[in-house]
Amino acid sequence: MRNQGGQLDSSSHASVESTAQERHLLPEESAAVLEAVFKMLGNRTRLRMIYALTRAGEMCVTELAEALEMKPQAVSNQLQRLTDRGILASKRTGINIYYRVVDRSVVSLLDRGILLKEV
């Protein structure tokens, strides 16, 4: 857990090294938030988008649609969901909107998932 200053709370048992037995029981509200995150990431299209954006740094809708062999409208819809969740950020340059991953914890989670698949 992090304190209000964003620093790890040394009294918490939520460090990466701790085991599930050392952690406090996950509160209902936290479980609901975590469930929503996993539902957002539990979609192959969104996972592929995050992966492509991680590799490229940033891409516009057209580039991403071409890379994923999808229609731009379908890509745009999913990008909006990821942006609303705070996983992606966007910027407009002329007529194009470029997206990039801003939630680095999602990248770490994706990396770990890929490693699990390879084991």
Side-chain angles (χ1 to χ4, degrees), residues 1-4 11-13 20 32-33 42 49 51-52 60 63 71-72 74-75 77 87 89 95 101-103 110-111:
M1 299 262 191
R2 295 187 183 274
N3 61 24
Q4 289 191 0
S11 65
S12 172
H13 292 253
V33 170
M49 288 178 177
Y51 187 74
C60 70
E63 293 168 337
K71 294 181 180 178
V75 168
N77 182 8
I87 295 170
I95 62 169
V101 178
V102 292
D103 187 339
L110 181 60
D111 287 342

Side-chain angles (χ1 to χ4, degrees), residues 49-70:
M49 288 178 177
I50 293 167
Y51 187 74
L53 289 168
T54 299
R55 291 185 63 190
E58 71 176 18
M59 298 172 85
C60 70
V61 174
T62 306
E63 293 168 337
L64 198 50
E66 287 174 9
L68 299 175
E69 298 178 344
M70 294 178 63

Side-chain angles (χ1 to χ4, degrees), residues 1 8-9 12-19 22-23:
M1 299 262 191
L8 286 176
D9 182 358
S12 172
H13 292 253
S15 72
V16 175
E17 294 81 27
S18 67
T19 66
E22 294 172 326
R23 293 185 185 125

Side-chain angles (χ1 to χ4, degrees), residues 52-110:
L53 289 168
T54 299
R55 291 185 63 190
E58 71 176 18
M59 298 172 85
C60 70
V61 174
T62 306
E63 293 168 337
L64 198 50
E66 287 174 9
L68 299 175
E69 298 178 344
M70 294 178 63
K71 294 181 180 178
Q73 183 58 37
V75 168
S76 184
N77 182 8
Q78 296 301 325
L79 288 170
Q80 188 59 54
R81 289 177 181 217
L82 292 165
T83 302
D84 290 347
R85 177 50 91 179
I87 295 170
L88 304 181
S90 64
K91 70 175 181 182
R92 180 176 291 278
T93 304
I95 62 169
N96 292 316
I97 299 176
Y98 287 86
Y99 291 86
R100 69 186 182 290
V101 178
V102 292
D103 187 339
R104 303 313 299 173
S105 63
V106 170
V107 174
S108 177
L109 187 58
L110 181 60

